[in-house]
Amino acid sequence: MKVLLINGSPREKGNTFLALSEVAKTLNAEGVDTEIINIGKKAVPGCIACGMCGRQGKCTFNDDPYYRILRAVKDGIDGLVVGSPVYYGGPNGSLCALLDRVFYSLGPLLQYKPGASVVVCRRGGASAAFDRLNKYFTITNMPVVSSQYWNMVYGQTPGQVAFDEEGMQTMRTLGRNMAWMIKKLNVAEDGHPQREQPTWTNFIK
């Protein structure tokens, strides 16, 4: 069993990384392997609606963060955690650009795998950013893993999240809940729900 964690902060070892590491540490203690991928500071291209992913099975852009996520997903993961700092009440724009491409091109490989988001903020905007990230899971048939509170941690300077005791406890609870859900889904005997053929309804004909 393995969970992929995506650090959507340009600061590789900042507060978002520390929050994700607390989740990863708990998952490891529950017998689940983890990998953290950092998106880094380089520019990340957004989706250009070219449709190439539908023909070649991957995004036409082959930047390093996307390639590493592609490789991890194709190697096999059982869950996904996405973490981001809060910028203007939302997740990091580079992260959203990457996730648009990841979920559009790899959605069939992610469905029915538990997903969770983690947000880090100085003061406000956490719930809006949290909601934005969860939308990726809820449009991809992914069960959303909850915790004892919304998955948010408070801190500004590097390392400050460690002093948010409730926030870090929420991260540990999230890790235990995700491990529990993965184990329950792995022993399910009836497989995935049967899906209907998708029906597209446009508002303008």
Side-chain angles (χ1 to χ4, degrees), residues 18 55 80 82 92 122 147-148 157 165 177 181 187 192 205:
L18 294 177
R55 295 190 284 275
L80 177 67
V82 178
N92 179 8
R122 181 190 70 85
S147 186
Q148 67 190 45
T157 58
E165 295 181 6
N177 288 351
M181 185 179 289
V187 299
H192 298 149
K205 296 186 178 182

Side-chain angles (χ1 to χ4, degrees), residues 76-102:
I77 60 171
D78 299 285
L80 177 67
V81 180
V82 178
S84 177
V86 175
Y87 295 161
Y88 290 92
N92 179 8
S94 294
L95 173 64
C96 290
L98 177 63
L99 293 178
D100 286 351
R101 293 162 49 217
V102 166

